[in-house]
Amino acid sequence: MIRVVLADDQALLRSAFRVLVDSDPDMTVTGEASDGAEALRVIREAGADVVLMDIRMPGVDGLAATRAISADPALAGVRVVILTTFESDDYVVQALRAGASGFLGKGAEPAELLSAIRLAAAGESLLSPAATRGLIARFLAQSDGSEPVDDRVLDVLTAREREVLVEVAGGLSNDEIAGRLSVSPLTVKTHINRLLTKLSARDRAQLVVTAYETGLVRPRSA
């Protein structure tokens, strides 16, 4: 059973999400929150595998709450999916850097939202669509005042692991990467597990961010 916490300051939206999530026999909503501080309390008290987190909330916002979740070893298994409107939320990549597993539009279809929860719970990232990759690349290309990541962090990787990391940053699935590199999907999975360990990444979303931040992958020109 996948335990889901809903964090959004709009009660009506939370109610709609609750009905949808609870309608799936493999999921259950363990709690709701109207801001980040309450979300953290609910997660710790009721437990959660996945948090649907609005990025814009009063008080402690979704970005700060995501950072707090990532920094707490006791919450290492909690995955955060940011709820956003793609065009207006400039904080999306900051949230990914903070530890979010991906993001989803608030106007997503019901099946899309349920699929996103399953992917996040399984440790996957919600970064496959081309439009999403383009958004990430665009924001990562902009200066946000943060320190650049030293590309020497990649020195621990083998040549093949670097190749796999490039393909992960392109949003390819394990099967697609296997086809491109002429290896088995199981081999790709092994490489990705090693990347996660060597780069201290929570999931594939963090691998994508690292690939861009270190300059291994360059944002395409608009």
Side-chain angles (χ1 to χ4, degrees):
M1 183 69 71
I2 300 173
R3 300 167 299 167
V4 181
V5 165
L6 309 173
D8 195 296
D9 61 342
Q10 298 182 50
L12 187 60
L13 197 57
R14 293 199 311 271
S15 295
F17 284 153
R18 175 181 278 275
V19 170
L20 176 62
V21 172
D22 282 342
S23 71
D24 189 296
D26 297 324
M27 302 179 191
T28 184
V29 173
T30 55
E32 299 182 20
S34 58
D35 62 36
E38 187 179 6
L40 287 165
R41 179 183 59 76
V42 170
I43 293 165
R44 291 185 175 114
E45 291 179 357
D49 299 304
V50 177
V51 183
L52 294 182
M53 183 87 75
D54 185 13
I55 206 165
R56 293 177 176 175
M57 294 182 288
V60 177
D61 63 16
L63 183 59
T66 299
R67 284 187 181 130
I69 291 169
S70 299
D72 189 341
L75 303 180
V78 179
R79 297 291 177 256
V80 176
V81 176
I82 296 294
L83 296 172
T84 180
T85 53
F86 294 157
E87 296 80 11
S88 63
D89 280 331
D90 294 358
Y91 300 111
V92 167
V93 167
Q94 292 182 54
L96 292 175
R97 286 182 176 130
S101 294
F103 52 93
L104 190 70
K106 287 189 176 181
E109 293 294 324
E112 219 180 335
L113 186 140
L114 295 176
S115 176
I117 293 171
R118 290 192 189 93
L119 283 171
E124 297 290 334
S125 59
L126 312 177
L127 306 174
S128 301
T132 304
R133 295 198 304 271
L135 177 71
I136 292 168
R138 187 163 66 251
F139 282 123
L140 282 171
Q142 298 172 355
S143 173
D144 63 358
S146 61
E147 289 294 319
V149 173
D150 191 334
D151 63 5
R152 285 178 295 183
V153 301
L154 302 180
D155 288 350
V156 297
L157 305 182
T158 65
R160 176 60 89 182
E161 286 166 352
R162 283 175 179 250
E163 287 181 309
V164 172
L165 180 56
V166 168
E167 302 300 345
V168 170
L172 273 65
S173 67
N174 286 6
D175 287 344
E176 290 169 333
I177 296 172
R180 284 208 179 189
L181 301 182
S182 299
V183 297
S184 72
L186 181 59
T187 297
V188 172
K189 183 177 180 180
T190 298
H191 283 310
I192 290 175
N193 286 337
R194 287 175 180 164
L195 285 168
L196 292 170
T197 299
K198 288 184 177 183
L199 298 176
S200 300
R202 287 169 63 92
D203 54 27
R204 292 171 80 111
Q206 300 302 296
L207 293 179
V208 173
V209 173
T210 298
Y212 277 108
E213 288 187 322
T214 56
L216 181 65
V217 175
R218 300 287 182 182
R220 291 191 179 93
S221 299

